[in-house]
Amino acid sequence: MSEKYLNKKEKIADICELPKDIILGAPILSVTGNREIEIDNFKKLLEYSQEKIVIQCKDWKISVEGSKLEIILYTRDELKIWGIITGILFG
Amino acid sequence: MMFDSAYLEIEILGKERERFFNLCAFHHITLYHIRYKEEALLVKIKASDLFLMKRIVKKTEIKLRIIEKKGLYFTLKAMKYQKIFFLCLLSGFFLLWICSFFLWNIEIKGNKYLSNVLITDFLQRQGVQYGMPLKNILVEQLEKNIRKEFYDITWISVSINGTTLILEIKENDTIRNQKPENFQNHLYAQEDGIVEEILVRQGTAVVKVGDAVKKGDLLISGEIEIPAEDGGIKKKVLSQAKGDVKVRYTVPIKEVLLLEYDTRIYTGEEKREYEFRYKENILGKNRKKFPYPKYDYYEEEITPGIIKKFLPEFKIYHILYREYYLQREKYTKQKGEEILNENFNKILKSLEEKGVQIIEKNVKISTNSVSMQLTGTLTAEQVIKEKDIRNE
């Protein structure tokens, strides 16, 4: 997706005062310390191992790295991860 | 939450595990606690979701195995044949609960002259009988009615404890214990001593101030002589002796304290158990089995409220035994004196409570190798009044 197109959408969301996660389809991440992470607005799970979890969102891939990673809750809208989180990468 | 109902723990083996999870999420199947166990993945799901997974399992070609079944549904299923038992147990408790709203026992305490039959007959006439709802008993009204009916009752307390109606009664003993008019009463000495003061309100004084009296000697006689016109005695009237006689006497004091004593050292060994009692009888247990050679015994009642309400005589106790052994120790001189002084003060206090006035104290503490002694005498004064009268 082009940068220009994204900026346009962002502008519309700003003007109309609409939530960006709906307009842009952006994921919402809630991180609690380095132990818990909650992801909303994602597409699917691409990879799961104890050291790395890769999640496909609308425009990006999010990879959560760490050790002893466990998926505590996995539904259509919500994904909750526990473990020792060392990094979150957007690709 | 999944733990409310039945849930399963499944093991997943296969290559397309991520695809399996995505398809589950797409079909609104919630997955909980996905974690690795060696090569396999363990997942918790709701039991009802297992049937929805069938097609997904086929599609993704994974191997699925149920590891554990948990929840109320599976527990009940495992107890398939005990259902009736649990149902009976539940209905039993329900029945107990219902029964706890009715009167099943009447307890009458403190009655000496009024028989239980007499009182329960009156209660029946008042509409208080076994099996009636507890809420229909008007306690205050019942108290008033009983007092009206039985004039001998000076005090009454009606209370409801569990399913028991408790009537605590105090009867008028003084009327009952009153002696006939012609019964003779005298005033006697309580201790050996010297009469200090004498004041006669009724009767005839037998002793005078300064007389030495012994315990049990007559002080004031209840006999009153009525003089005749010629100076003689017309007749003797028997009455109750009344008056105050102050007697001074000495009280010997001897308190011995052995210097060596045994003290309890707790080993830290403890044993706890539960005991069921019905009317002071222990159920299903032999008390003669002592857990330790020497031990302290503590008990605490832990009967649940519902049992207390319905079966007040059935009690559950928590028992604790603490083992100890005895170790011989010796009092220091200071400690020994402290204990003896304390004992001496107790003696003084008990004498004062009896109405004895202490005039002089003459005591000393002596020590030998074995014991400490507090010896001496107290000079005391006591006023003997009508209440000390002994009936002849």
Side-chain angles (χ1 to χ4, degrees):
Chain A
M1 192 176 284
S2 68
E3 197 85 1
K4 202 180 166 186
Y5 177 70
L6 246 178
N7 284 342
K8 260 187 185 175
K9 272 200 161 185
E10 248 182 319
K11 268 183 185 172
I12 292 165
D14 275 342
I15 292 161
C16 301
E17 290 181 357
L18 289 165
K20 282 180 186 171
D21 57 302
I22 295 168
I23 301 297
L24 305 175
I28 301 168
L29 272 78
S30 315
V31 186
T32 313
N34 68 339
R35 295 277 164 178
E36 192 183 303
I37 179 163
E38 202 179 315
I39 304 163
D40 292 309
N41 234 358
F42 66 94
K43 288 273 175 199
K44 60 185 176 183
L45 181 73
L46 293 177
E47 191 189 327
Y48 170 49
S49 70
Q50 280 182 302
E51 288 77 33
K52 193 178 180 185
I53 295 172
V54 184
I55 300 135
Q56 176 70 56
C57 298
K58 196 182 174 187
D59 300 321
W60 309 277
K61 277 181 192 171
I62 299 171
S63 57
V64 179
E65 287 173 11
S67 58
K68 295 176 187 172
L69 296 177
E70 288 178 6
I71 299 170
I72 290 305
L73 183 72
Y74 185 32
T75 65
R76 201 170 177 174
D77 315 308
E78 194 185 348
L79 183 94
K80 206 184 248 185
I81 300 164
W82 271 4
I84 302 158
I85 300 157
T86 52
I88 303 164
L89 287 170
F90 291 87
Chain B
M1 189 65 195
M2 64 175 290
F3 301 103
D4 293 350
S5 55
Y7 72 93
L8 302 167
E9 188 160 38
I10 54 170
E11 187 189 66
I12 292 163
L13 276 165
K15 284 180 181 174
E16 294 184 48
R17 289 184 292 202
E18 283 85 359
R19 192 178 162 221
F20 170 76
F21 295 146
N22 291 329
L23 282 168
C24 284
F26 184 75
H27 287 97
H28 298 283
I29 298 168
T30 311
L31 306 171
Y32 301 92
H33 209 182
I34 306 167
R35 65 196 191 280
Y36 269 95
K37 192 190 173 189
E38 294 161 7
E39 282 302 298
L41 272 170
L42 298 182
V43 184
K44 282 180 184 173
I45 55 161
K46 281 180 188 169
S48 54
D49 287 343
L50 186 73
F51 302 103
L52 300 173
M53 275 183 176
K54 258 186 178 177
R55 281 177 62 196
I56 304 167
V57 170
K58 245 183 191 177
K59 216 178 204 177
T60 50
E61 291 175 349
I62 61 144
K63 283 180 185 173
L64 191 146
R65 194 162 67 95
I66 297 166
I67 305 270
E68 204 178 5
K69 294 173 182 177
K70 273 192 177 174
L72 190 66
Y73 171 76
F74 292 113
T75 315
L76 284 175
K77 210 176 173 188
M79 292 178 176
K80 201 177 175 182
Y81 300 104
Q82 289 138 353
K83 262 182 193 169
I84 294 165
F85 169 75
F86 279 101
L87 211 70
C88 289
L89 201 76
L90 272 175
S91 42
F93 274 115
F94 180 71
L95 212 70
L96 257 175
W97 182 65
I98 294 290
C99 287
S100 67
F101 293 109
F102 297 91
L103 177 71
W104 299 113
N105 190 20
I106 297 172
E107 225 175 270
I108 303 161
K109 293 176 183 172
N111 55 325
K112 288 178 192 166
Y113 306 105
L114 297 167
S115 69
N116 283 3
V117 180
L118 203 70
I119 296 166
T120 45
D121 271 357
F122 175 73
L123 289 175
Q124 266 187 2
R125 274 184 271 132
Q126 292 288 313
V128 178
Q129 52 197 358
Y130 295 109
M132 72 174 291
L134 288 168
K135 63 173 183 181
N136 291 357
I137 301 172
L138 302 167
V139 174
E140 280 176 24
Q141 189 62 39
L142 198 64
E143 278 178 0
K144 271 183 195 170
N145 291 348
I146 292 171
R147 265 200 300 268
K148 260 186 205 170
E149 177 75 12
F150 304 101
Y151 60 89
D152 277 355
I153 294 172
T154 52
W155 178 85
I156 182 161
S157 154
V158 179
S159 59
I160 296 165
N161 184 14
T163 56
T164 307
L165 180 75
I166 301 169
L167 277 86
E168 285 176 88
I169 292 168
K170 271 189 185 158
E171 290 168 348
N172 197 348
D173 285 341
T174 48
I175 295 168
R176 305 258 180 197
N177 291 337
Q178 228 170 29
K179 297 285 179 295
E181 280 297 310
N182 61 353
F183 201 86
Q184 191 182 6
N185 290 312
H186 302 298
L187 210 64
Y188 293 94
Q190 303 288 304
E191 300 286 343
D192 295 357
I194 294 158
V195 177
E196 287 281 305
E197 279 172 36
I198 186 158
L199 173 77
V200 182
R201 284 192 291 274
Q202 191 171 300
T204 314
V206 179
V207 290
K208 56 182 188 297
V209 175
D211 279 1
V213 289
K214 284 191 172 177
K215 189 179 178 180
D217 278 358
L218 190 63
L219 300 175
I220 301 172
S221 167
E223 265 184 6
I224 302 167
E225 291 171 354
I226 296 169
E229 283 175 6
D230 60 352
I233 296 162
K234 191 180 173 187
K235 65 171 181 177
K236 283 181 179 177
V237 179
L238 301 173
S239 69
Q240 198 179 54
K242 286 180 183 173
D244 295 342
V245 184
K246 194 190 263 183
V247 178
R248 178 179 284 210
Y249 61 97
T250 53
V251 184
I253 301 286
K254 190 173 185 186
E255 280 288 310
V256 180
L257 179 78
L258 291 171
L259 289 173
E260 283 193 341
Y261 66 100
D262 288 329
T263 185
R264 289 175 180 190
I265 309 288
Y266 291 96
T267 60
E269 285 289 316
E270 283 183 0
K271 197 182 174 192
R272 290 162 195 271
E273 55 187 43
Y274 294 94
E275 207 169 85
F276 301 94
R277 289 184 206 165
Y278 185 73
K279 284 186 180 176
E280 302 305 318
N281 295 321
I282 302 159
L283 303 176
K285 203 191 131 197
N286 189 2
R287 203 23 120 56
K288 283 174 187 171
K289 285 178 187 170
F290 300 117
Y292 307 114
K294 280 190 170 68
Y295 61 88
D296 268 347
Y297 171 87
Y298 308 91
E299 65 175 39
E300 187 193 358
E301 196 187 333
I302 50 157
T303 319
I306 188 159
I307 297 175
K308 253 187 201 173
K309 207 174 178 191
F310 188 64
L311 285 169
E313 277 154 350
F314 181 80
K315 281 164 185 156
I316 305 170
Y317 283 87
H318 178 237
I319 312 285
L320 173 68
Y321 299 95
R322 286 180 73 198
E323 192 192 22
Y324 69 83
Y325 62 87
L326 293 174
Q327 189 170 300
R328 187 136 283 223
E329 284 187 16
K330 205 172 179 180
Y331 286 120
T332 58
K333 196 185 172 190
Q334 194 187 348
K335 182 73 186 168
E337 278 177 4
E338 255 177 46
I339 293 168
L340 284 173
N341 280 329
E342 205 176 294
N343 291 351
F344 180 58
N345 286 333
K346 276 182 194 166
I347 294 168
L348 290 180
K349 208 177 171 191
S350 72
L351 284 170
E352 275 165 14
E353 276 169 9
K354 283 180 197 167
V356 177
Q357 198 186 342
I358 310 295
I359 305 296
E360 199 182 317
K361 297 172 204 167
N362 184 18
V363 289
K364 61 173 183 179
I365 293 173
S366 57
T367 317
N368 60 29
S369 59
V370 186
S371 63
M372 285 180 92
Q373 294 107 19
L374 185 139
T375 48
T377 52
L378 291 176
T379 308
E381 273 182 4
Q382 188 176 16
V383 177
I384 300 160
K385 289 183 176 179
E386 294 89 82
K387 65 178 180 183
D388 297 319
I389 284 168
R390 291 182 198 169
N391 292 322
E392 204 171 33

